[in-house]
Amino acid sequence: MNRLWGGRKDQDDSPRGSLDQERGNAPNEHTRLLPNRVESTNYLSPDDPAVSPYNLWSVRIVRYLTILFTVITFVWWIILLVSTFVTPPGFHTRGSGFFPFSYASLALANLLFTLVFFAIPSKAVRILSIIMGGLLLVDAVVLISVEKTRHEEGWVGMVSVLWALLMAVWTLLTDRLVQWGKTEEEERLTGRAETRRTLGEWTAVLLSTFSMIILALVILLTTCTLILRALDAGLAPPGELFWVDGDKYMMHVYCHGNKTDSKGTVLPTVLLEGGADPVENGLWQFADEAINNGSINRYCFVDRPGMAWSDSAPSPLSVGMAVEAMSEALARAGEDGPWVLASAGIGSIYSRILSARHGSDIKGLLLIDPLHENDLDGVGSPGRGFMLWLRGILSPLGLDRIPGALFNGRTKEDRVWGQSAYQTGKYTFAKLQENLVADTLSKRDLASSTAIQNPDVPLNIISSGVKLREDSGWEDKQRDLSHLTRKLKHWDIANEAPHEVWRTRQGRDIIEKRLRQLVHGA
């Protein structure tokens, strides 16, 4: 028909022509794998795996950097974990070390959550990241600007809080970049930005939001605890602080009274050593009362490492190491004895080692319901050590300190050396150090000191009647301790007194009487 009417043949209807046309439309090396974002109308489904922010190189680079930061943070976290038990050179913190560890843990958890939910950005997560960054900024300012916290945390604490702050900002920027990349790819590949989410995506958003809420609450509690520490820094120590152990940390020494009596006779100074609590929590008040009564003329005490105003020492720390540091602090304070040693509970272990190492300077020993060396096994038990470590890890949250300050009227004195001192990270760390080597290094120190103890030192022992009735083996242990020297003067039993014998009037009277005899009979 085309030839009949003289028209053009625009299309070849032959089989060969159709085959050539199909070959011309076949994909080749120049064919786009994804449709052109401007010209194409062949959009993909929003559920297609090709619709992903990972198509953008900027998103992929940010993910790789996040993985790198996670590895760096994990290495830092491991170093801080190890330093709790054995302090690497240069990583000693004069606080507890639990605050830097908590900031490293927060940074690591933040980065891990970011990686897990990387491709599913959420506005709620970004808002919580802003809150976390603001709280961490407050922490950094408080920690660095307050002299006491800066001294205790050192460069390790400052680096930890600043790194946690930087990682909070990084995760915020990462989530915002992924959101932008997701929108860009959806518009390019599907024609519009997707507003709906699948059930799996909503579950991921819920989990990520819940995780960030937990982190924000943890940081808030840590901030409150740090503010309490900054307020407690305003409580000045009654004595002086002296650098010890090669200027690694400072110890608090306090002395009160006169070295001579009214006749000019030089009398021994009573050196007090507390038990589980600092000397300031009970024995300090007792000593002031004894001076007012004329029973003793002068007393001193040194806060053990990590107790009250003294800094924490590097780990490990045995009783012998602590005694060496205490002796150095006394020497730097110009206190050289002679001494009458009065100690309670586990403090008697320290006094026995001090007595053996100072020989003729010791004019008497008064042991108040002392701990026997066989009880060091209990002090160093693994179960107790784990609980102390766990309590230390949780100490930056201030779960007991914050309610105590807000609702129970706990004061600075309570938290530094009083009834709430056990809640602090420093106290917990000191007890953990005591636990770690109690059955090894400390027991060895005590055994060697017992062997060289001067047998002519006058000895008085005062035992708790309550403790004797509660523990059937306690009496035998007290009797064994009465043979520390050949000059046992008295072994008293305060029938109604607890382990802290000075808490009752009867116990205070007995302690004061025996101290008077040791001081004036030297």
Side-chain angles (χ1 to χ4, degrees):
M1 294 294 294
N2 287 336
R3 289 182 181 178
L4 180 62
W5 298 104
R8 286 183 60 188
K9 183 178 179 181
D10 296 330
Q11 183 175 354
D12 186 359
D13 293 331
S14 66
R16 183 179 181 85
S18 299
L19 181 60
D20 292 340
Q21 185 176 2
E22 289 179 3
R23 288 177 177 176
N25 293 333
N28 55 41
E29 67 272 15
H30 300 292
T31 304
R32 294 180 61 89
L33 296 178
L34 296 176
N36 187 286
R37 62 179 296 181
V38 177
E39 300 172 358
S40 175
T41 57
N42 298 323
Y43 293 120
L44 300 177
S45 168
D47 298 325
D48 194 308
V51 183
S52 170
Y54 290 123
N55 296 331
L56 300 176
W57 64 268
S58 57
V59 173
R60 294 197 299 271
I61 288 179
V62 166
R63 180 173 173 80
Y64 295 146
L65 287 175
T66 304
I67 294 174
L68 175 62
F69 291 153
T70 303
V71 172
I72 293 173
T73 305
F74 180 70
V75 171
W76 182 255
W77 184 85
I78 289 294
I79 292 174
L80 295 183
L81 176 63
V82 171
S83 66
T84 303
F85 306 98
V86 180
T87 306
F91 280 84
H92 170 229
T93 57
R94 303 181 191 98
S96 61
F98 293 127
F99 262 83
F101 183 78
S102 68
Y103 287 124
S105 301
L106 286 169
L108 183 60
N110 196 6
L111 289 168
L112 289 175
F113 290 144
T114 301
L115 286 174
V116 171
F117 306 108
F118 190 85
I120 308 174
S122 166
K123 185 176 180 180
V125 169
R126 290 194 293 275
I127 293 174
L128 289 168
S129 294
I130 293 174
I131 295 173
M132 289 167 54
L135 291 173
L136 286 170
L137 179 61
V138 173
D139 286 5
V141 171
V142 172
L143 191 147
I144 296 173
S145 61
V146 178
E147 182 182 0
K148 180 69 172 177
T149 56
R150 187 173 66 248
H151 167 81
E152 289 184 346
E153 301 305 330
W155 75 271
V156 175
M158 289 186 282
V159 167
S160 297
V161 68
L162 290 175
W163 181 255
L165 172 60
L166 288 175
M167 291 304 98
V169 175
W170 174 260
T171 55
L172 171 63
L173 297 177
T174 297
D175 195 82
R176 184 66 187 87
L177 176 66
V178 174
Q179 178 63 57
W180 169 81
K182 186 173 183 293
T183 303
E184 283 285 303
E185 288 302 285
E186 288 172 347
E187 290 178 351
R188 181 170 72 88
L189 301 177
T190 69
R192 64 184 177 87
E194 191 62 40
T195 56
R196 68 178 181 86
R197 294 183 188 270
T198 64
L199 179 61
E201 288 176 332
W202 275 119
T203 302
V205 169
L206 180 63
L207 290 176
S208 62
T209 303
F210 180 75
S211 303
M212 297 300 281
I213 288 174
I214 296 297
L215 286 182
L217 288 176
V218 168
I219 296 175
L220 175 62
L221 292 174
T222 304
T223 302
C224 294
T225 306
L226 190 60
I227 291 173
L228 276 180
R229 286 182 58 191
L231 294 174
D232 295 344
L235 184 64
E240 295 184 61
L241 296 169
F242 298 94
W243 289 101
V244 297
D245 194 12
D247 294 345
K248 291 179 182 177
Y249 58 99
M250 304 182 79
M251 296 188 70
H252 174 238
V253 179
Y254 177 72
C255 294
H256 176 64
N258 300 314
K259 291 186 176 182
T260 59
D261 60 12
S262 58
K263 300 178 181 178
T265 304
V266 177
L267 296 176
T269 299
V270 175
L271 184 60
L272 299 170
E273 186 60 56
D277 295 330
V279 174
E280 291 89 338
N281 190 19
L283 283 175
W284 186 15
Q285 295 77 10
F286 161 78
D288 281 334
E289 183 179 341
I291 283 185
N292 294 334
N293 294 338
S295 301
I296 62 175
N297 268 47
R298 191 168 187 268
Y299 69 87
C300 291
F301 63 82
V302 183
D303 290 327
R304 299 198 297 266
M307 306 288 275
W309 282 280
S310 289
D311 296 334
S312 296
S315 294
L317 180 72
S318 68
V319 174
M321 296 174 185
V323 168
E324 288 297 323
M326 294 163 62
S327 300
E328 182 181 354
L330 288 169
R332 290 182 179 273
E335 300 293 337
D336 53 3
W339 307 104
V340 167
L341 305 182
S343 56
I346 195 171
S348 62
I349 303 294
Y350 294 82
S351 289
R352 287 171 58 184
I353 295 178
L354 186 69
S355 171
R357 294 184 180 182
H358 286 263
S360 60
D361 292 331
I362 308 303
K363 303 303 179 183
L365 269 172
L366 176 63
L367 305 182
I368 305 169
D369 212 30
L371 189 75
H372 194 272
E373 47 260 45
N374 291 343
D375 291 319
L376 287 176
D377 296 339
V379 174
S381 67
R384 180 173 180 268
F386 176 76
M387 294 306 298
L388 286 169
W389 178 79
L390 185 61
R391 195 170 79 190
I393 294 299
L394 297 177
S395 64
L397 301 181
L399 298 177
D400 38 18
R401 269 184 284 180
I402 296 172
L406 293 178
F407 307 114
N408 297 330
R410 297 290 184 259
T411 63
K412 299 177 182 179
E413 291 80 2
D414 291 329
R415 291 188 293 272
V416 173
W417 52 260
Q419 58 185 323
S420 300
Y422 73 93
Q423 301 169 355
T424 64
K426 273 203 324 178
Y427 178 95
T428 305
F429 186 65
K431 291 301 174 183
L432 178 60
Q433 287 181 314
E434 203 171 63
N435 164 270
L436 291 174
V437 295
D439 197 30
T440 53
L441 298 179
S442 294
K443 182 172 282 190
R444 183 200 64 186
D445 292 340
L446 185 59
S448 61
S449 297
T450 302
I452 62 174
Q453 170 65 49
N454 182 359
D456 295 324
V457 174
L459 172 66
N460 281 342
I461 293 180
I462 303 173
S463 301
S464 161
V466 174
K467 187 74 172 178
L468 291 175
R469 290 190 293 271
E470 291 177 349
D471 186 349
S472 57
W474 194 254
E475 181 177 355
D476 293 334
K477 294 174 182 177
Q478 300 289 293
R479 181 176 290 105
D480 184 53
L481 290 172
S482 68
H483 299 99
L484 282 175
T485 72
R486 294 184 303 214
K487 290 191 174 181
L488 176 66
K489 297 297 184 180
H490 300 93
W491 177 16
D492 298 290
I493 298 177
N495 290 317
E496 303 304 322
H499 179 57
E500 295 177 330
V501 176
W502 59 92
R503 299 294 184 188
T504 64
R505 184 72 261 174
Q506 178 197 24
R508 294 168 78 92
D509 289 341
I510 295 175
I511 296 173
E512 190 171 340
K513 177 181 178 181
R514 299 311 179 201
L515 275 179
R516 182 189 299 112
Q517 293 172 347
L518 289 174
V519 169
H520 294 277

